[in-house]
Amino acid sequence: MSVVLSEHLPLLASAPDGIKKLRGLILELAVRGKLVPQNSEDEPASELLKRIAKERATQKTKVTSIEEAESPVTDIATGWECAPLGEVVEIVRGITFPSSEKSKTPEAGRIKCLRTANVQDKIEWGDILYIRSEFVSRDDQMLRPNDIVMSMANSRELVGKVALVESQLGEPATFGGFLGVLRPHLILPRFVMAFLRAPTVRSSLIDSASQTTNIANISLAKLRPLSFPLPPLAEQHRIVAKVDELMALCDRLEQEVGAGETAHTKLVETLLGTLTQSTDADDLAANWQRLAEHFDTLFTTEASIDALKQTVLQLAVMGKLVPQDPNDELASKLLKRIAERRSAALARGYPNSSEATTQAKKQANQSCPENLKALPAGWSWATLMQCAELVVDCHNKTAPYSSAGIPLLRTTNIRNGEMNLREPKFVTPETYERWSARCRPQAGDLLITREAPMGEVCIIPEGITVCMGQRIMLIRVVEGTMNHRFLLYSLLAPSLMDRVQDKPVGATVEHLRVGGVETLLVQIPPLAEQHRIVAKVDELMALCDRLKADLAESRTRQARLSATLIESALQAA
């Protein structure tokens, strides 16, 4: 590896996918003859080719003329030779057998059989199949030490993956039809592995694979002609030793990065914990100031910034984010006013007159448990039903979609506190009128998902008309009584599920019931304090978004610099 590249190992390791790219660079240099010096006293690769041909003739290996394909590896070292892979490596496809013959139990007459799931960075023998030995028709379909096992049929991302059978097999084993085995002739298997794992070779194999809906297949007709760069045997030994040395270095870098990330996460958790443990807004301000002095070293990952957002929301519902004002109207009076206005609204009825009766009965039966956690002065506990005009779900079944019309909200349209209408589904105006008979969604209404995933929340923004789909519930606030965004932040806070009295249910898919959301306990501050809290949360969320934008820009620069360093290393080698 070049001196320039060695000097920038910390940068490469910290760049997005930096260590993965570094491993790829090592392999690219190895198979081009750029990783170790050449030695003029080594037996030429041309002589090695002759010995390979003689061995194949001695072993009576079937010899067919193979036209060499264009090589994915260019600019190989002086003294190397190129040959079709099929002329220097024996390639064998695996056995086929009925699906009914698969067994995970070792029994008399059965032998181990590798499948694609066993081909990882190394052969994984834990989850193995056992197949009756009669399905093995030829000796070459039995695994041997130093076999290279390749995934010949798999997803596009995994096809062409290889692993080495590194040790003596304790018992007979074979390999399935989606696999192939490569057996080098007088070539180090680990050098062949380096070739097959080099990024340009992997990309070439993937691009040459035939593709069905879910499966990519590498055929022998494509694999055998693949041009293989052949170094002298002595140089192969030096290359393999150097690759092992540098991969061990990458392992250490990976462990150091992992350990650093773990320590960083723990540090962030501890310091954010000091915020939630603040006794009041003044104490929080002091703790926040100490934290703010180290923002550039603490919040350097998306996970740490997300943790900061969650802490802000938790502080909001704990009453620690802004100071209390004793002149604010008490939350208990606010709740009484909400009850009065809600009763008047319900008396006026809904498009479905039975809805008013249903909601009135539910609200009459609502009550908060005793011995709830103490709240700041002026705050009150309430169920969501006690501070809302109504809570309803969608009783409609699968939507009759149309190519245009009213956007239909599904759970996928509600994420991270926001509504998105990317790739929307539509319903006709007629369907919308029918489905909205219980309650027509309007701007300012809150929506909460019942499942897939559960508990995602958003507010319907101004200026759009939407239809509420399955697995979504609507929460309508009595106009002029609650800050909609405070209620949104309360529902987004980490403690949401702890505050659901009637817990989620479901034998197969856990989901929220309407009754569970109605009894959700909400901390209600005075209305004036709600406005102050929302303003502060908005300010801090904007700060978090700027931190994320800066992080994304920094990572983009790192990735560009990393790519430039790697490209320069390849050109200079």
Side-chain angles (χ1 to χ4, degrees):
M1 209 157 27
S2 69
V3 174
V4 173
L5 201 59
S6 299
E7 290 174 351
H8 292 90
L9 279 179
L11 184 148
L12 287 168
S14 61
D17 290 330
I19 296 177
K20 178 181 177 182
K21 292 175 182 176
L22 186 57
R23 291 184 192 275
L25 172 62
I26 292 166
L27 296 174
E28 291 290 348
L29 294 173
V31 299
R32 284 170 167 76
K34 312 294 184 182
L35 200 61
V36 298
Q38 276 72 53
N39 187 338
S40 58
E41 296 183 2
D42 291 341
E43 177 194 58
S46 56
E47 292 299 316
L48 177 58
L49 268 179
K50 292 176 185 177
R51 291 197 292 115
I52 289 172
K54 184 180 294 185
E55 182 187 76
R56 293 180 68 201
T58 302
Q59 294 178 350
K60 298 182 180 179
T61 303
K62 184 178 179 181
V63 178
T64 56
S65 176
I66 302 174
E67 185 175 342
E68 185 178 335
E70 183 177 347
S71 176
V73 176
T74 56
D75 302 324
I76 62 172
T78 303
W80 288 33
E81 296 287 338
C82 278
L85 184 66
E87 288 188 358
V88 294
V89 172
E90 181 185 358
I91 307 173
V92 183
R93 286 300 294 256
I95 66 171
T96 58
F97 47 86
S99 180
S100 59
E101 289 293 332
K102 295 178 182 178
S103 173
K104 291 193 175 183
T105 305
E107 299 171 349
R110 290 183 178 272
I111 60 174
K112 290 181 176 181
C113 181
L114 293 182
R115 50 185 170 155
T116 53
N118 302 116
V119 182
Q120 302 301 325
D121 289 337
K122 296 182 178 181
I123 300 292
E124 294 190 354
W125 295 96
D127 184 17
I128 199 79
L129 292 182
Y130 291 87
I131 302 299
R132 282 191 289 155
S133 57
E134 63 193 62
F135 289 104
V136 180
S137 57
R138 305 191 314 267
D139 288 343
D140 63 359
Q141 292 176 324
M142 297 296 292
L143 279 175
R144 305 171 188 173
N146 295 318
D147 276 351
I148 299 168
V149 185
M150 173 182 283
S151 183
M152 305 284 281
N154 210 324
S155 65
R156 184 173 174 82
E157 295 75 21
L158 297 177
V159 73
K161 194 169 186 176
V162 290
L164 186 67
V165 180
E166 295 186 353
S167 59
Q168 294 291 328
L169 299 169
E171 54 187 287
T174 184
F175 48 101
F178 283 3
L179 300 176
V181 154
L182 290 78
R183 295 187 176 120
H185 296 286
L186 303 181
I187 303 172
L188 291 186
R190 295 180 68 82
F191 178 78
V192 180
M193 286 276 292
F195 169 73
L196 294 171
R197 285 180 168 176
T200 52
V201 179
R202 286 276 291 126
S203 295
S204 175
L205 287 172
I206 290 170
D207 291 342
S208 69
S210 60
Q211 182 77 48
T212 61
T213 304
N214 298 314
I215 297 293
N217 183 73
I218 298 174
S219 67
L220 295 182
K222 294 288 186 180
L223 189 57
R224 283 183 174 131
L226 185 65
S227 182
F228 177 77
L230 181 67
L233 186 57
E235 188 172 344
Q236 291 179 38
H237 283 281
R238 296 196 297 274
I239 291 171
V240 167
K242 180 56 73 172
V243 167
D244 287 347
E245 174 191 334
L246 295 176
M247 290 300 179
L249 171 61
C250 289
D251 290 342
R252 291 196 296 275
L253 287 172
E254 218 158 33
Q255 290 171 359
E256 290 170 6
V257 169
E261 289 175 350
T262 301
H264 175 263
T265 300
K266 185 64 177 176
L267 177 62
V268 169
E269 287 177 355
T270 301
L271 293 177
L272 289 178
T274 66
L275 299 183
T276 56
Q277 293 159 17
S278 303
T279 55
D280 53 31
D282 291 336
D283 188 28
L284 173 67
N287 289 332
W288 178 270
Q289 183 57 43
R290 285 191 287 270
L291 196 68
E293 293 172 0
H294 303 284
F295 262 30
D296 55 341
T297 55
L298 285 174
F299 301 106
T300 56
T301 65
E302 287 190 3
S304 61
I305 298 172
D306 287 340
L308 176 59
K309 283 188 172 185
Q310 290 294 294
T311 300
V312 168
L313 293 173
Q314 190 62 37
L315 290 167
V317 300
M318 293 172 72
K320 296 184 177 181
L321 202 56
V322 299
Q324 275 75 51
D325 186 339
N327 296 316
D328 290 340
E329 178 191 54
L330 298 178
S332 57
K333 291 186 177 181
L334 173 63
L335 287 170
K336 288 180 181 178
R337 191 166 68 254
I338 291 174
E340 292 169 358
R341 293 192 184 182
R342 182 181 58 230
S343 296
L346 289 171
R348 292 193 296 270
Y350 285 89
N352 181 343
S353 59
S354 65
E355 193 65 53
T357 303
T358 301
Q359 295 289 327
K361 287 180 179 178
K362 288 178 177 178
Q363 287 150 6
N365 294 327
Q366 289 290 308
S367 63
C368 282
E370 296 180 0
N371 303 320
L372 287 172
K373 185 177 179 181
L375 292 174
W379 287 43
S380 293
W381 282 104
T383 65
L384 188 59
M385 201 72 196
Q386 289 173 321
C387 59
E389 184 175 316
L390 77 162
V391 179
V392 295
D393 65 343
C394 176
H395 281 181
N396 304 294
K397 303 301 180 182
T398 304
Y401 298 139
S402 63
S403 57
I406 310 296
L408 174 71
L409 282 184
R410 300 168 295 156
T411 57
T412 54
N413 301 120
I414 304 174
R415 289 290 186 277
N416 303 318
E418 296 182 353
M419 175 190 297
N420 72 75
L421 292 177
R422 294 185 293 272
E423 301 180 2
K425 298 288 185 181
F426 297 96
V427 295
T428 64
E430 294 75 20
T431 299
Y432 170 69
E433 292 296 331
R434 187 171 66 254
W435 279 29
S436 302
R438 300 183 70 208
C439 177
R440 179 173 295 182
Q442 62 187 35
D445 287 344
L446 284 86
L447 302 175
I448 183 167
T449 59
R450 301 180 65 175
E451 61 179 87
M454 179 174 60
E456 292 281 350
V457 193
C458 74
I459 291 179
I460 300 178
E462 297 283 348
I464 66 170
T465 300
V466 292
C467 184
M468 186 169 68
Q470 287 182 297
R471 304 184 183 90
I472 293 175
M473 287 176 280
L474 179 145
I475 303 161
R476 177 163 296 166
V477 175
V478 177
E479 191 60 37
T481 61
M482 287 281 294
N483 187 307
H484 297 222
R485 291 192 67 78
F486 174 79
L487 197 52
L488 172 72
Y489 291 147
S490 183
L491 296 176
L492 288 171
S495 59
L496 170 68
M497 287 305 161
D498 293 337
R499 292 183 277 133
V500 176
Q501 297 179 72
D502 296 338
K503 297 301 181 185
V505 297
T508 54
V509 178
E510 197 173 62
H511 61 276
L512 282 170
R513 298 186 303 107
V514 176
V517 174
E518 291 169 347
T519 62
L520 174 66
L521 292 169
V522 184
Q523 300 105 313
I524 305 297
L527 184 57
E529 188 172 344
Q530 291 180 35
H531 296 321
R532 296 196 298 273
I533 289 171
V534 166
K536 178 57 72 172
V537 171
D538 288 345
E539 173 192 333
L540 296 177
M541 290 300 178
L543 169 63
C544 291
D545 290 340
R546 289 197 299 274
L547 288 172
K548 272 199 174 181
D550 292 344
L551 176 62
E553 184 179 350
S554 173
R555 286 186 170 179
T556 299
R557 288 197 302 268
Q558 275 187 316
R560 287 175 182 163
L561 182 54
S562 172
T564 300
L565 286 170
I566 288 174
E567 184 178 351
S568 299
L570 281 170
Q571 291 174 350

